[in-house]
């Protein structure tokens, strides 16, 4: 049982480290992004996709269900 818990903790630590590195790379990408360049629209698309994922995750965290979830998802994606 103790070995299983350690393996689970190692896996979670590895995934947390990977997520931290990925977020650092994303922040570095946004810091060097030129919005008026030829490929500036791809950066805007990435921004909207990341924001959409964050809002969808937030809705899942609070366990909002039914018509309210559909409405909030619709409004958040329309505003983005």
């Amino acid at each position: 049982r103790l070995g299983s818990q350690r393996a689970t903790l190692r896996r979670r630590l590895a995934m947390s480290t990977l997520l931290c590195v990925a977020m650092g790379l994303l922040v570095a990408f946004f810091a060097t992004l030129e919005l008026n360049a030829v490929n500036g629209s791809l950066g805007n698309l990435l921004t909207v996709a990341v924001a959409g994922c964050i809002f969808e995750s937030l809705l899942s965290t609070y366990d909002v269900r039914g018509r309210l979830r559909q409405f909030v998802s619709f409004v958040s994606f329309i505003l983005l």
Side-chain angles (χ1 to χ4, degrees):
R1 172 136 177 116
L2 186 60
S4 174
Q5 287 177 346
R6 285 184 181 174
T8 302
L9 286 175
R10 282 189 190 126
R11 193 172 335 132
R12 290 179 71 185
L13 180 64
M15 290 296 121
S16 296
T17 303
L18 182 66
L19 184 63
C20 184
V21 168
M23 290 305 288
L25 290 172
L26 191 59
V27 167
F29 174 73
F30 280 131
T32 60
L33 183 68
E34 177 65 37
L35 292 177
N36 293 327
V38 174
N39 61 350
S41 60
L42 291 176
N44 293 335
L45 177 66
L46 178 64
T47 304
V48 170
V50 169
C53 289
I54 289 171
F55 286 125
E56 183 68 27
S57 176
L58 187 65
L59 285 175
S60 297
T61 301
Y62 289 128
D63 199 25
V64 178
R65 296 184 185 182
R67 296 185 67 90
L68 178 64
R69 180 185 179 117
Q70 293 173 350
F71 176 74
V72 171
S73 295
F74 176 74
V75 168
S76 65
F77 284 112
I78 291 296
L79 293 177
L80 291 176

